[in-house]
Amino acid sequence: MPAISIQPTYPVFTGLDGLPLDAGYLWFGVANLDPQTNPTTIYWDEAMTIVAPQPVRTLAGYPSRSGTPARIFIATDYSVRVQDSKGVTVYNASFVAVEDPNVAPFVIENGTGQEITISMDGSDFAFNHTQAGDFLTYDNGTGEFTIAADGQPVNIQGLTVIESAEAGGANLKLSGTFGSPAAPNKYIRSLAGVLEVINSAYTTPLAQMFDSGDFAFNSGYGTSKVAYGCRAWVNFDGTGTVAIRGSGGVSSITDNGTGDYTVNFSSAMTDANFSASAIAKEFMGAKRFACTAEVMTPSASSCRLEIVDTSFALADSAEIHVAIHR
Amino acid sequence: MNQRIIYPTDDGGVAVIIPAESVADAMKDVPDGKPFKIVDVSEIPADRTFRAAWEYTA
């Protein structure tokens, strides 16, 4: 740690005779206004939590608090009046600027006209390069952390952030590349309210999530299109001891009788206007036929279906598959 | 799942609920107001030849 020059701990106010002012008065006011009639708030502590009453008395030239020297803190530019013990003005200063030592930036120059500045203003932080657009900032007020590199990628531990310079870029909060040389990079961006995954050439959305909740993806469609998933499905054996082989979004099936089943949903649909697809098969000796699986009474919470064999009679089937789309 | 829920149907028969995951989840599928019983699957006939003749006994 380098040595630091010791500075006076407390400011000293003097009278017109040049001697430390004892039992004097210190008034602090709004800049450019009379400090006695327009006082401003001053504090005893640097955190500015303990308000100092005015006027502040002096003790052997020092501002005093409860009989001991004290320091005075203020947040803004101010005016000041100093009076001696008899109330005679020693001097007035209508404007005194508050200098925040944190504001002065730290500058690094490389001798070729390029420089880097690092500055702090309160809790805000900025790191700037002389090339326009290259910066890193933190705004303590909004909590925003911003990085820009004049159109060039900025690498952050494998995440590449590119500048929001494309059309509609006002809505672009993050673009990034992920992956490794063995796995081509993909990009993620939020553009005009749509969250997108972009191909490695950064030209075509591969998947999109819209504000409406719709999800679109290109999985053989040719382009990214809104797709609708299966909300419920079940594969069950309707013969012998009726049993479910596999299911999703289904709480149970009800065996109502021969060839008569109800598929009950785990969560109710929005309404009964879903699309139900059902198929069953029937064996007649060595031959296999597709049975009619007729959806009889759909409701938001269930879907009843009947299985009819080639004789148009209700029949159990060992293979019944049902899928619900909405 | 080795348990089933049975309840009487309006036409005098019996309906058998086959839970997908748990009996607790399937309880909601019993129609409101219907009496029901939770039975072991072994109590349900595997021979469905006379399925329409099954009856519910309390």
Side-chain angles (χ1 to χ4, degrees):
Chain A
M1 174 181 292
I4 298 174
S5 173
I6 295 175
Q7 302 297 317
T9 305
Y10 304 106
V12 177
F13 293 85
T14 59
L16 293 173
D17 55 6
L19 297 175
L21 187 64
D22 194 39
Y25 299 87
L26 306 177
W27 301 89
F28 300 89
V30 178
N32 297 313
L33 295 175
D34 186 297
Q36 281 185 258
T37 55
N38 300 277
T40 190
T41 304
I42 57 175
Y43 304 88
W44 292 127
D45 61 324
E46 189 171 6
M48 295 190 289
T49 60
I50 305 172
V51 174
Q54 296 201 53
V56 174
R57 302 303 301 273
T58 62
L59 177 65
Y62 303 121
S64 69
R65 178 188 181 192
S66 301
T68 60
R71 299 170 69 189
I72 300 172
F73 298 88
I74 194 166
T76 61
D77 299 338
Y78 60 95
S79 59
V80 61
R81 173 172 295 142
V82 179
Q83 296 173 323
D84 64 16
S85 60
K86 296 176 181 176
V88 176
T89 296
V90 177
Y91 66 82
N92 280 312
S94 60
F95 182 88
V96 181
V98 172
E99 294 184 1
D100 183 348
N102 291 332
V103 171
F106 179 72
V107 181
I108 301 173
E109 295 181 83
N110 67 356
T112 62
Q114 296 288 309
E115 66 180 35
I116 293 172
T117 60
I118 303 172
S119 61
M120 290 191 70
D121 183 6
S123 296
D124 295 344
F125 169 82
F127 178 97
N128 292 278
H129 186 259
T130 47
Q131 183 173 344
D134 289 2
F135 62 86
L136 179 155
T137 63
Y138 173 72
D139 186 323
N140 187 54
T142 63
E144 290 188 350
F145 188 77
T146 305
I147 300 173
D150 198 27
Q152 298 302 311
V154 178
N155 293 303
I156 307 172
Q157 295 182 348
L159 170 66
T160 301
V161 180
I162 60 176
E163 193 173 30
S164 55
E166 63 184 281
N171 291 323
L172 183 63
K173 294 297 184 185
L174 171 67
S175 291
T177 60
F178 304 88
S180 65
N185 288 333
K186 299 295 182 290
Y187 298 81
I188 295 175
R189 70 178 179 186
S190 176
L191 182 64
V194 182
L195 180 64
E196 297 182 325
V197 177
I198 314 296
N199 66 345
S200 56
Y202 202 65
T203 55
T204 306
L206 303 177
Q208 298 164 295
M209 180 64 77
F210 298 88
D211 276 351
S212 62
D214 284 343
F215 182 49
F217 55 88
N218 180 355
S219 183
Y221 295 117
T223 58
S224 180
K225 296 291 185 183
V226 174
Y228 303 91
C230 177
R231 294 299 179 97
W233 63 273
V234 63
N235 173 347
F236 65 96
D237 180 353
T239 63
T241 300
V242 177
I244 296 174
R245 295 189 181 90
S247 67
V250 167
S251 58
S252 70
I253 59 171
T254 302
D255 164 22
N256 302 302
T258 300
D260 184 348
Y261 312 95
T262 299
V263 177
N264 302 298
F265 307 141
S266 298
S267 299
M269 303 292 165
T270 303
D271 53 36
N273 298 326
F274 50 79
S275 171
S277 304
I279 191 168
K281 70 180 179 182
E282 175 195 13
F283 287 95
M284 294 184 69
K287 296 182 180 180
R288 184 172 63 191
F289 299 88
C291 299
T292 298
E294 184 176 6
V295 176
M296 302 300 291
T297 50
S299 73
S301 59
S302 65
C303 176
R304 189 167 182 168
L305 61 148
E306 291 183 346
I307 310 302
V308 181
D309 64 14
T310 51
S311 302
F312 304 106
L314 288 171
D316 292 328
S317 170
E319 293 280 351
I320 304 173
H321 302 174
V322 182
I324 308 295
H325 292 83
R326 179 67 176 83
Chain B
M1 178 54 60
N2 293 320
Q3 289 183 306
R4 301 288 188 264
I5 305 169
I6 61 174
Y7 64 87
T9 58
D10 293 338
D11 60 4
V14 59
V16 183
I17 292 178
I18 299 93
E21 296 291 338
S22 71
V23 169
D25 290 345
M27 290 294 287
K28 70 174 183 57
D29 301 327
V30 178
D32 290 342
K34 287 285 187 183
F36 67 89
K37 287 199 300 184
I38 299 172
V39 300
D40 190 85
V41 67
S42 61
E43 297 183 50
I44 306 296
D47 184 348
R48 297 173 60 84
T49 305
F50 300 103
R51 174 66 179 83
W54 293 4
E55 293 181 350
Y56 177 88
T57 54

